[in-house]
Amino acid sequence: MQAVRFDSQLHVVTNQPVPMVPKGEALLRVRQVGVCSTDIEITRGYMGFSGTLGHEFVATVEQCEDRALMGKRVVGEINCVCTSCDMCVGGLSNHCRNRTVLGIVNRDGCFAEFCVLPANNLHVLPDQVDDDMAVFVEPLAAAVQVTKQVRMDSKTFVTVVGGGRLGLLVAQVVNNLGVPVRVIGRDAAKLSLCERWQIRSRHVKDIQPRKDQDVVIDCTGSSDGLELAMQLVRPRGTLVLKSTFVPTRPLNLAPIVVDEINVIGSRCGPFAAAIQLMADRAIDVTSLISRRFKLDQAPAAIEHAQKPGVLKVLMRG
Ligand SMILES: [Zn+2]
């Protein structure tokens, strides 16, 4: 089958074997995938991953012991867990000590004709959530996770730093809860989407940080973004880190100590909640689609996803 592989270099291969299906897992025929910043980071060496890339997908179940899932259109949670370690037993299976992660840790990803995931990871999609929306379930779930970790209400002042793919999803999720939120970004075209959703936005060059925000959510994946976030959050406020990145220079973390900032790391979130938000049309994801590529154009697609002004890049076989 065709697959987009990374082993210190990116290759599109056509002779990758269709994956074997371990017990309890399902073979998925991939319908469409999304390019994520994590994929881009991996091509720069993040996680030392080698194998098939990709973790944002919508697929059809091709083979599965659970007959009820056969032929169903699904999305899948990307953490594959052991169910027996202390984290799993303690109800924190997303932090399983033996986990593999689709296209990120020790498991081939979805930038291919087929991939495999445990049947328990799959979520059948309602008809209201089409293939274009479905590739956003994984990143939208990650956005929802912030609201599960930090209490916010109509009196909480929230700033999202970063007007990219993830920042725009996080801002919509927070706004949907009736929480006052603004987005700070550096791309006017991306920020203009906020107007459509009635979310306030500011260009980074127009910002005077005053250390007055209750909650600041960094979605930039950059040293500059994180430092700005530390200048925006009030003393004893909460700073949520949503992006993994390799710092390009030493960071001054003193404000965390001096201002007694609560720092919260935030990763994957609840798929069911994300699917429901889309089915309810509470979140607009399809406006984020910038361009579509064929799977065999993956190197061009991944390069395009890094260009200024580009939000979500999709690929199909
Ligand atoms: Zn485990």
Side-chain angles (χ1 to χ4, degrees), residues 182 204 207-212 227-228 230-233:
R182 67 171 175 175
V204 66
I207 287 292
Q208 296 280 344
R210 288 195 185 90
K211 295 193 176 183
D212 60 357
E227 283 195 341
L228 175 61
M230 287 189 284
Q231 296 303 316
L232 290 164
V233 68

Side-chain angles (χ1 to χ4, degrees), residues 82-83 85 88 96-97:
C82 75
T83 72
C85 73
C88 285
C96 170
R97 298 192 192 274

